[in-house]
Amino acid sequence: MLLYALFVFLVGACGGLVLASYVLRGKLAPWAVSLLHALLGASGLILLIAAILTGDAVGVLPVAALCVFVVAALFGFHLASIHYGKQVALKRVVLTHAGVAVTGAVLLIAAVVMQ
């Protein structure tokens, strides 16, 4: 299940790249991509939580990845609220969200490799 969570997060990251490309050009991103990105992120979190709770994921790395992804999700909620107001988010907030999410992905990759 840990591998499935990683896959879902990585597919969601592709949507994040599309969204970031809009914001970095000063444009409002399409809602459909934003919603898909959020759905994939939430699904990845659920799969990661399930893997931890069922004992599928052993060690500190999956828990650390979960904590980092939760922080990324909080930034994502903030970005969604800005998007909902039909405004383009600050580039530094988008880059912070992306950096935190990439950190979570690296931790999750390490957890999968170490399994």
Side-chain angles (χ1 to χ4, degrees), residues 47-92:
L47 285 170
L48 184 52
I49 291 168
I52 292 168
L53 291 178
T54 61
D56 236 13
V58 181
V60 72
L61 283 175
V63 176
L66 174 63
C67 293
V68 172
F69 277 127
V70 167
V71 172
L74 293 173
F75 273 100
F77 286 130
H78 176 65
L79 289 169
S81 71
I82 294 169
H83 193 185
Y84 184 73
K86 297 186 191 300
Q87 296 178 5
V88 177
L90 294 173
K91 294 174 185 175
R92 65 178 179 250

Side-chain angles (χ1 to χ4, degrees), residues 11-107:
V11 172
C14 294
L17 288 172
V18 171
L19 293 169
S21 73
Y22 275 87
V23 172
L24 294 175
R25 289 181 283 148
K27 296 182 179 181
L28 201 58
W31 261 110
V33 178
S34 184
L35 291 175
L36 182 62
H37 177 68
L39 178 65
L40 288 166
S43 299
L45 280 174
I46 290 168
L47 285 170
L48 184 52
I49 291 168
I52 292 168
L53 291 178
T54 61
D56 236 13
V58 181
V60 72
L61 283 175
V63 176
L66 174 63
C67 293
V68 172
F69 277 127
V70 167
V71 172
L74 293 173
F75 273 100
F77 286 130
H78 176 65
L79 289 169
S81 71
I82 294 169
H83 193 185
Y84 184 73
K86 297 186 191 300
Q87 296 178 5
V88 177
L90 294 173
K91 294 174 185 175
R92 65 178 179 250
V93 178
V94 171
L95 294 174
T96 302
H97 168 70
V100 172
V102 167
T103 303
V106 168
L107 288 169

